[in-house]
Amino acid sequence: MNFVTKLFVFIFLIGSATNAQIHEPVTWETSVEKINDSEFELIISAEIEQGWHLYSQNVPEGGPIPTTININQDDKKFQLVGKTTEEIGHEEYDNVFEMNIKYFEKHTVFKQKVRLLTDEKISITGVLEFMVCNDRNCLPPTEVDLEFEVQGVAADPLTSTAEETMDKSFLQQDNNSIEPNEEALKSEKTEVVEISKKENNKSLWTLFILSFFAGFAALLTPCVFPMIPMTVSFFTKQSKTKAIGIRNAILFGLSIVLLYVLLGTVVTSIFGADSLNALSTNVWFNLIFFLLLIVFAVSFLGAFEITLPSSWGTKVDSQADRGGLIGIFFMALALAIVSFSCTGPIVGTALVAAAAQGGAAPVISMLGFSLAIALPFSVFAAFPGWMNSLPRSGGWLNTVKVFLGFLELALAFKFLSNADLVLQAHLLEREVFIAIWIAIFGALALYLFGKIKLPHDSDLQHLSVGRLSLALVVTVFTIYMVPGLWGAPLKLISGFPPPMHYSESSYGVGYTKLGEAGNSSANKIPEGAHLGPHDIVAFLDYEDGMAYAKEVDKPVMIDFTGHACVNCRKMEERVWSDPRVLQILKNEVVLISLYVDDKRTLPENEQYTSAINGKKVTTIGKKWSEFQIEKYKANAQPYYVLLDHDGNNLNEYSAYNPDIEEYLSWLREGIGNFESRNP
């Protein structure tokens, strides 16, 4: 993810005797543009200094802090129309975050359309939160107060349908607007749009294929598979000619596709294409779908069945007797209702995955899913003799259903992990996640070997070759995950478990690597500390770290950093990993890492009013950001300071500097000054 852009910040001359400074690389302005007497656009313009970049409103989970605009709504005075729009910007792949990230340079504009519900002059207020970076520093999340003065003619409130229609028109107009006399910018935007379309098409094709396989899996469940010969036989026997039978079977298949595509369309229409994508990074969204997938999994394992009301099936079935196209459509609807106990959980899971992608993904997902189910009915109607090659219904169908239940159970914990990562609650760290997956797939292997029997299973007289082969594959996969408890990267499932640094220890449960470069002065992690990058013992609280430094008589290195600071990760990966630097960070200093974007709430008795902007400081990240600004007159990350036990600087600060030799010299200079002051 090369979302970081070029930079030239002359104040930061690494290793020289320059002074730290507060950076404010973005200047915000607000204005109002009239559309008609009742409708206005709230314009939020950003002027961005050369070399800095501002992030989009839509940043994937696990990426940097997005720009967030919250307008304080007053339903009696005005109505927001649609979502806040933004310009095309730049979208690039960033290697650190391993995702595409959209950002803006030099200048950008955000627009929010409003509809007035009063003739009075009103003041519309809000708050904008943003984060900016260059190729050396990232600044902590910053809030800006917004205010707009608007007066017009009162209008009737828009209904949801009308609002959605106007919103789409407005979005299209905004996206097609390009500033005049900027041919180079036009060309660059066109290129970005083309790349974005290609990326989106690629991901949609992937979703289509995965959904097709999900539909194929649903086809092999006890609720659907037995319906194939029954339905095909009905069409072939009840039709006057073979051609009519084939035609009716094809229409039946198309009806199935239509039903599921309509379902995907309804989901997209109700929630909105953009809001689905935004929900994917929401804590409550992930928790709700964790619970939903748990219910689906338990249902597939045989605890209960998820069924629609029987009266629905009766009414639909009565309509299927009408004949013609309408009768065929209702036959397809009857199949969907009758098979819901098997297809419902799979459809739900497919829609959850599609919702995380947003846009037209739910429609594409249901198209792939329904095609897999519909194809056999058309194919076997055309070639009825092929049905003799189908395996007979039996206990293997329930085995497929149980297998899917185990997969749903494993997938559910990915959503729980997403919520935990966003909250930084550390309740489901890497080792715990992997242990849960080992337990789930281990139990699945025992089930396939016939050692576990669930409620709807028939007696297993012997293992088929297929079942044995699948059991061996699952067993190998389970064993493969075990070393992950001790720090193995597990590339086959990369992206599912939490990242390596989000763990009890980078080397697994109950084990701390303290070898040649380890902390020779300690046999265990001090209270209040944790293992940071490369197993460096790091404190997350200033007071705790300073107290420990006095206890062991070592200098302190403060690391002002952030969870979403790409340049901080680059320093850790490229500079801190050098054996000489790593030896110093592990043995000769006490590291205190202060995360300025830590969203955890401060205890009520520790919250206070900022002396800088008069706002209440309520989060841990804001506390450390204020601390950096007040004490060091700087707000950039990464930012490193070497201190003695009284909090005095041992030398000049250091910021982003990928030159290992210079960083090493800076460390040695500070440690040398500490030793000379404390002989």
Side-chain angles (χ1 to χ4, degrees), residues 31-32 61 166 170 216 245 369-370 389 406 426 471 503 594 598 603 617:
S31 60
V32 177
E61 178 185 348
M166 295 184 69
F170 170 64
F216 184 73
F369 180 88
S370 57
S389 62
F406 276 106
H426 288 269
S503 59
L594 304 179
D598 191 332
V617 176

Side-chain angles (χ1 to χ4, degrees), residues 71-193:
I71 302 296
N72 299 322
Q73 299 190 48
D74 188 336
D75 296 337
K76 295 181 179 179
K77 295 183 178 180
F78 67 93
Q79 181 181 26
L80 297 179
V81 180
K83 303 287 187 294
T84 303
T85 62
E86 60 184 36
E87 295 181 337
I88 295 175
H90 306 274
E91 185 169 342
E92 295 182 0
Y93 184 82
D94 188 279
N95 293 315
V96 175
F97 287 112
E98 297 182 349
M99 64 179 71
N100 287 322
I101 297 182
K102 180 181 174 182
Y103 62 90
F104 306 102
E105 293 180 300
K106 297 181 182 178
H107 173 81
T108 193
V109 174
F110 300 91
K111 298 179 180 180
Q112 174 62 62
K113 191 175 182 181
V114 296
R115 184 179 180 88
L116 297 185
L117 307 178
T118 177
D119 295 331
E120 300 175 2
K121 184 176 182 179
I122 62 172
S123 177
I124 300 176
T125 60
V127 176
L128 180 147
E129 183 182 32
F130 69 98
M131 177 179 177
V132 290
C133 289
N134 57 30
D135 68 352
R136 303 181 73 87
N137 306 297
C138 285
L139 304 187
T142 304
E143 290 184 354
V144 175
D145 292 326
L146 304 173
E147 186 170 3
F148 309 86
E149 297 292 335
V150 187
Q151 185 171 19
V153 178
D156 295 329
L158 287 173
T159 63
S160 57
T161 303
E163 182 180 345
E164 182 181 347
T165 302
M166 295 184 69
D167 185 29
K168 287 180 179 177
S169 174
F170 170 64
L171 282 172
Q172 185 172 358
Q173 179 184 6
D174 182 75
N175 287 335
N176 290 334
S177 64
I178 299 177
E179 296 181 19
N181 303 322
E182 294 193 21
E183 292 300 324
L185 179 60
K186 180 178 179 180
S187 176
E188 183 178 0
K189 286 185 176 182
T190 302
E191 183 179 351
V192 171
V193 169

Side-chain angles (χ1 to χ4, degrees), residues 310-622:
S310 58
S311 59
W312 292 16
T314 303
K315 291 179 181 179
V316 169
D317 195 48
S318 64
Q319 295 294 322
D321 295 330
R322 296 175 61 178
L325 294 177
I326 295 177
I328 291 173
F329 176 80
F330 277 102
M331 280 186 66
L333 183 57
L335 172 69
I337 292 174
V338 170
S339 63
F340 185 79
S341 61
C342 291
T343 59
I346 302 176
V347 169
T349 305
L351 284 175
V352 168
Q357 187 167 327
V363 178
I364 298 299
S365 176
M366 290 299 94
L367 178 62
F369 180 88
S370 57
L371 276 176
I373 293 181
L375 277 175
F377 293 96
S378 301
V379 170
F380 287 118
F383 306 97
W386 289 7
M387 284 196 295
N388 296 327
S389 62
L390 287 177
R392 295 182 179 180
S393 301
W396 68 273
L397 290 174
N398 190 67
T399 301
V400 172
K401 190 177 176 182
V402 171
F403 182 84
L404 293 174
F406 276 106
L407 293 184
E408 298 242 2
L409 190 60
L411 182 60
F413 283 94
K414 174 57 180 172
F415 286 91
L416 183 61
S417 174
N418 289 344
D420 185 60
L421 283 167
V422 172
L423 293 172
Q424 288 288 300
H426 288 269
L427 298 176
L428 191 61
E429 294 179 317
R430 184 178 176 86
E431 293 91 345
V432 178
F433 184 96
I434 293 172
I436 291 172
W437 268 37
I438 290 172
I440 291 172
F441 285 97
L444 174 57
L446 291 174
Y447 172 79
L448 292 173
F449 278 120
K451 302 300 181 183
I452 297 176
K453 186 176 179 181
L454 292 173
H456 300 296
D457 287 329
S458 56
D459 292 334
L460 187 65
Q461 301 298 329
H462 62 274
L463 290 180
S464 65
V465 174
R467 181 165 179 158
L468 176 61
S469 300
L470 185 58
L472 290 173
V473 170
V474 173
T475 301
V476 170
F477 178 66
T478 304
I479 296 172
Y480 165 79
M481 288 191 290
V482 172
L485 297 173
W486 286 270
L490 303 182
K491 293 182 180 180
L492 284 179
I493 57 173
S494 176
F496 281 94
M500 295 286 288
H501 68 268
Y502 196 79
S503 59
E504 296 177 11
S505 163
S506 298
Y507 295 89
V509 178
Y511 179 75
T512 303
K513 184 177 179 181
L514 296 172
E516 293 180 2
N519 283 42
S520 58
S521 63
N523 293 321
K524 61 179 182 179
I525 301 174
E527 185 177 353
H530 78 299
L531 286 180
H534 311 295
D535 282 344
I536 302 169
V537 174
F539 288 84
L540 298 178
D541 182 84
Y542 178 79
E543 297 297 337
D544 290 345
M546 291 297 290
Y548 181 73
K550 292 178 182 179
E551 180 184 329
V552 298
D553 194 25
K554 291 181 181 180
V556 168
M557 188 180 94
I558 298 183
D559 164 33
F560 288 100
T561 183
H563 293 296
C565 172
V566 63
N567 298 304
C568 304
R569 303 294 87 77
K570 287 181 178 179
M571 285 294 293
E572 293 162 5
E573 293 172 5
R574 302 174 187 178
V575 180
W576 288 16
S577 60
D578 182 86
R580 296 167 296 170
V581 175
L582 188 57
Q583 192 276 335
I584 292 176
L585 295 179
K586 284 193 170 185
N587 294 318
E588 299 183 39
V589 300
V590 173
L591 177 65
I592 304 176
S593 294
L594 304 179
Y595 287 83
V596 299
D597 58 357
D598 191 332
K599 296 293 187 181
R600 290 178 297 167
T601 304
L602 279 168
E604 188 127 6
N605 60 340
E606 295 183 23
Q607 297 179 10
Y608 62 95
T609 301
S610 168
I612 299 171
N613 55 25
K615 295 182 178 180
K616 193 169 185 180
V617 176
T618 59
T619 66
I620 293 174
K622 289 289 185 184

Side-chain angles (χ1 to χ4, degrees), residues 227-247:
M227 301 288 289
I228 298 174
M230 186 188 312
T231 306
V232 171
S233 296
F234 173 82
F235 285 128
T236 55
K237 291 178 181 179
Q238 298 299 319
S239 303
K240 295 181 179 180
T241 65
K242 181 179 179 181
I244 295 176
I246 294 174
R247 184 204 66 181

